Amino acid sequence: MDVFKTDILIIGSGIAGLSLALKLKDLGEITILTKKRAFETSTSLAQGGIACVMGDNDSFEFHIQDTLTVGDGICKKEVVEMVVKSAPERIKDLINWGVKFDKDPENPKKFHLTLEGGHSRRRILHVGDYTGRAIENTLIERALEVENIKILENFLVVKLITEDLFKPSKILGAFVLDLIHVKPVIFLAKVVVLCTGGAGKVYLYTSNPDTATGDGIALAYQAGCRIANMEFVQFHPTCLYHPKAKNFLISEALRGEGAVLLNAEGKRFMHKYDPVKKELAPRDVVTRAIDMELKKTGAECVYLDISHLPSDYIRKRFPYIYETCLKYGIDITSQPIPVVPAAHYLCGGIYTNIWGQTDISNLFAIGECACTGLHGGNRLASNSLLEALCFSHQASLKIKKMWNELKELKFKQPLIKETAVKEIKEEKVFISHNWDLIRKIMWDFAGIVRSLKMLEFAIKRIEFIKNEIKENWPGIYLDLDTMELKSITIVAELIVRSALQRLESRGTHYLIEYPFKKEKYQKDTIIFKNF
Ligand code: SIN
């Protein structure tokens, strides 16, 4: 089996992985592995922007307070403060790498700042309505210019190699499938960083790319790291509802600029659910309101209407959304957009400290796969790209500090044989059927509104699928869908088990038997550990 050696192994090629590679480029050889093409990340799909205090009437205190309020009482305050206060420096990093944020048309010396739900001030920097794509493309360009950074596409990490199989211990590298040459390979490294993004694909409807299968969380869990707060899955209120549109988000920035929600009868309804903030209430409030309206009216979608604003403005401010909707026959300058909620962001994940370090000292987790304490029970809009950026900076500082000790580590060859990897013998329909089942179970029984009965129902079914996988497809298979099925099954189980433990409604977790109360009583963090 081929064995490759690298100093730093980064798994995932979104904003977290790429920005970290750029920060560590002088330390040694950096390898970024990505299971599809480098740009196929959640970062690329982010539309809204990146939150940062910049406006004259804004302050760090306001941004901190908004983050804590939306997080519903369980954010880590020191993490929130670190992220909010370091945001301007991190934005400078992006600008220095070449990202060109939109300027204010009325004052070209300043950036244009947009508004999103839960923010008390305009503070979202953006590049049109394709901020994530602009950032991703710029960072890929910069990374490709650096000799020390290698981006390897179509490499799927299926196992972290640890010194001791039965307790959390030093990471030696990763066991990887080369999906082009259809063979297993090993990467040995001194530090491994998980930047694998979220797990929206666990749900039937999601705004996430196909790559969002929670691989990093499954890898860290199997290596013995703590996984925290998995019950907090954020559903975005407005994804395009169209039979041919797959996971297309209609950015919250539309509501920030004045778009309103209408039910099937063409009537506004948000005032009934949040009389003050209405369409700009936090995401969980808007999502539950839509869910309620759909259940009440039996309609399949609600509508987002921005057509009262001038057409030229809409086309200029939201070019990507305008063009994409037009492709599906919807002219957003004159028609309301059919929308439904969809799984969007996982607030929980691999438990890390303020340096992005997991329970294993040479394993880091950054971005959506991590649970840093920033988001608590619910994420404030446009805080996710910011978190990834701030924690890649934190991790870079820590890794640099540890480097003298880390660089002395000898590459150790693990005892894994090529024959440990198997081929799928049965028809692939067994795998795809289980994929569909998991996603439907999660949507129907562990979605926007949950009950204990639904969650119990879900766990029994997930257990069944888990056992079937264990009996029929144990170990490692040379097949992307099979290995991803294993990841989504682990993540689905963690979400449902965490949800069953949180006997209250808080943030994105709404349990019918325990509606929202002023007094919250559950412990802050619900943690799972494999061993
Ligand atoms: C959006 O543009 O609505 C998404 C922004 C986010 O998820 O933070």
Side-chain angles (χ1 to χ4, degrees), residues 47-48 116 236 249 251-252 283 344 379 381-382:
Q47 294 178 356
E116 288 180 340
H236 196 289
L249 192 72
S251 175
E252 194 154 320
R283 248 171 228 181
H344 182 58
R379 175 179 64 90
S382 287

mmCIF file of all heavy atoms in Angstrom, residues 47-48 116 236 249 251-252 283 344 379 381-382, ligand 1:
data_model
loop_
_atom_site.group_PDB
_atom_site.id
_atom_site.type_symbol
_atom_site.label_atom_id
_atom_site.label_comp_id
_atom_site.label_asym_id
_atom_site.label_seq_id
_atom_site.Cartn_x
_atom_site.Cartn_y
_atom_site.Cartn_z
ATOM 1 N N GLN A 47 -24.178 32.226 1.002
ATOM 2 C CA GLN A 47 -24.580 33.400 0.217
ATOM 3 C C GLN A 47 -24.440 34.681 1.019
ATOM 4 O O GLN A 47 -23.797 35.635 0.620
ATOM 5 C CB GLN A 47 -26.034 33.243 -0.225
ATOM 6 C CG GLN A 47 -26.254 32.107 -1.185
ATOM 7 C CD GLN A 47 -27.725 31.944 -1.561
ATOM 8 O OE1 GLN A 47 -28.590 32.631 -1.039
ATOM 9 N NE2 GLN A 47 -27.998 31.034 -2.465
ATOM 10 N N GLY A 48 -25.075 34.685 2.220
ATOM 11 C CA GLY A 48 -25.264 35.904 3.003
ATOM 12 C C GLY A 48 -23.997 36.703 3.207
ATOM 13 O O GLY A 48 -23.840 37.818 2.694
ATOM 14 N N GLU A 116 -29.206 40.630 8.819
ATOM 15 C CA GLU A 116 -29.846 39.306 8.817
ATOM 16 C C GLU A 116 -30.515 39.087 10.167
ATOM 17 O O GLU A 116 -30.258 39.836 11.129
ATOM 18 C CB GLU A 116 -28.808 38.212 8.533
ATOM 19 C CG GLU A 116 -28.336 38.225 7.088
ATOM 20 C CD GLU A 116 -27.311 37.152 6.751
ATOM 21 O OE1 GLU A 116 -26.657 36.611 7.654
ATOM 22 O OE2 GLU A 116 -27.173 36.882 5.569
ATOM 23 N N HIS A 236 -32.655 26.223 7.990
ATOM 24 C CA HIS A 236 -32.786 27.546 7.353
ATOM 25 C C HIS A 236 -34.229 27.687 6.890
ATOM 26 O O HIS A 236 -34.780 26.757 6.285
ATOM 27 C CB HIS A 236 -31.833 27.662 6.169
ATOM 28 C CG HIS A 236 -31.633 29.076 5.714
ATOM 29 N ND1 HIS A 236 -32.616 29.785 5.073
ATOM 30 C CD2 HIS A 236 -30.579 29.916 5.821
ATOM 31 C CE1 HIS A 236 -32.163 31.007 4.804
ATOM 32 N NE2 HIS A 236 -30.932 31.111 5.248
ATOM 33 N N LEU A 249 -30.392 27.733 -1.624
ATOM 34 C CA LEU A 249 -30.765 28.621 -0.530
ATOM 35 C C LEU A 249 -31.271 29.964 -1.069
ATOM 36 O O LEU A 249 -30.761 30.460 -2.062
ATOM 37 C CB LEU A 249 -29.501 28.853 0.299
ATOM 38 C CG LEU A 249 -29.648 29.510 1.648
ATOM 39 C CD1 LEU A 249 -30.302 28.520 2.602
ATOM 40 C CD2 LEU A 249 -28.285 29.910 2.183
ATOM 41 N N SER A 251 -31.141 33.442 0.379
ATOM 42 C CA SER A 251 -30.432 34.045 1.517
ATOM 43 C C SER A 251 -31.334 34.878 2.424
ATOM 44 O O SER A 251 -32.238 35.587 1.965
ATOM 45 C CB SER A 251 -29.307 34.939 1.007
ATOM 46 O OG SER A 251 -28.709 35.600 2.086
ATOM 47 N N GLU A 252 -30.992 34.790 3.702
ATOM 48 C CA GLU A 252 -31.664 35.603 4.708
ATOM 49 C C GLU A 252 -31.488 37.104 4.425
ATOM 50 O O GLU A 252 -32.264 37.937 4.875
ATOM 51 C CB GLU A 252 -31.026 35.253 6.059
ATOM 52 C CG GLU A 252 -31.807 35.733 7.211
ATOM 53 C CD GLU A 252 -31.545 34.893 8.455
ATOM 54 O OE1 GLU A 252 -31.437 33.658 8.350
ATOM 55 O OE2 GLU A 252 -31.461 35.497 9.511
ATOM 56 N N ARG A 283 -33.493 32.584 13.250
ATOM 57 C CA ARG A 283 -33.860 31.538 12.295
ATOM 58 C C ARG A 283 -34.806 30.474 12.838
ATOM 59 O O ARG A 283 -35.705 30.022 12.149
ATOM 60 C CB ARG A 283 -32.596 30.821 11.864
ATOM 61 C CG ARG A 283 -32.290 31.074 10.475
ATOM 62 C CD ARG A 283 -30.965 30.556 10.128
ATOM 63 N NE ARG A 283 -30.302 31.628 9.421
ATOM 64 C CZ ARG A 283 -29.098 31.535 8.927
ATOM 65 N NH1 ARG A 283 -28.400 30.444 9.106
ATOM 66 N NH2 ARG A 283 -28.589 32.539 8.275
ATOM 67 N N HIS A 344 -29.663 23.114 7.706
ATOM 68 C CA HIS A 344 -28.698 24.084 7.186
ATOM 69 C C HIS A 344 -27.357 24.034 7.902
ATOM 70 O O HIS A 344 -26.317 24.137 7.272
ATOM 71 C CB HIS A 344 -29.329 25.473 7.312
ATOM 72 C CG HIS A 344 -28.489 26.581 6.773
ATOM 73 N ND1 HIS A 344 -28.066 26.616 5.461
ATOM 74 C CD2 HIS A 344 -27.992 27.716 7.361
ATOM 75 C CE1 HIS A 344 -27.361 27.723 5.256
ATOM 76 N NE2 HIS A 344 -27.285 28.392 6.397
ATOM 77 N N ARG A 379 -27.178 29.184 16.037
ATOM 78 C CA ARG A 379 -26.124 30.038 15.486
ATOM 79 C C ARG A 379 -26.699 31.343 14.941
ATOM 80 O O ARG A 379 -27.687 31.343 14.207
ATOM 81 C CB ARG A 379 -25.393 29.306 14.362
ATOM 82 C CG ARG A 379 -24.359 30.143 13.649
ATOM 83 C CD ARG A 379 -23.675 29.354 12.568
ATOM 84 N NE ARG A 379 -24.591 28.972 11.524
ATOM 85 C CZ ARG A 379 -24.837 29.708 10.434
ATOM 86 N NH1 ARG A 379 -24.239 30.879 10.266
ATOM 87 N NH2 ARG A 379 -25.681 29.287 9.521
ATOM 88 N N ALA A 381 -26.889 34.233 12.383
ATOM 89 C CA ALA A 381 -26.602 34.253 10.940
ATOM 90 C C ALA A 381 -25.240 34.893 10.666
ATOM 91 O O ALA A 381 -24.849 35.864 11.321
ATOM 92 C CB ALA A 381 -27.696 35.053 10.228
ATOM 93 N N SER A 382 -24.554 34.311 9.692
ATOM 94 C CA SER A 382 -23.255 34.832 9.219
ATOM 95 C C SER A 382 -22.144 34.816 10.263
ATOM 96 O O SER A 382 -21.128 35.488 10.111
ATOM 97 C CB SER A 382 -23.405 36.228 8.601
ATOM 98 O OG SER A 382 -24.042 36.093 7.353
HETATM 99 C C1 SIN B 1 -27.985 33.018 4.340
HETATM 100 O O1 SIN B 1 -27.473 33.662 3.426
HETATM 101 O O2 SIN B 1 -29.172 33.120 4.638
HETATM 102 C C2 SIN B 1 -27.136 32.059 5.115
HETATM 103 C C3 SIN B 1 -26.233 32.766 6.008
HETATM 104 C C4 SIN B 1 -25.836 31.877 7.152
HETATM 105 O O3 SIN B 1 -26.197 30.707 7.202
HETATM 106 O O4 SIN B 1 -25.179 32.373 8.068
#
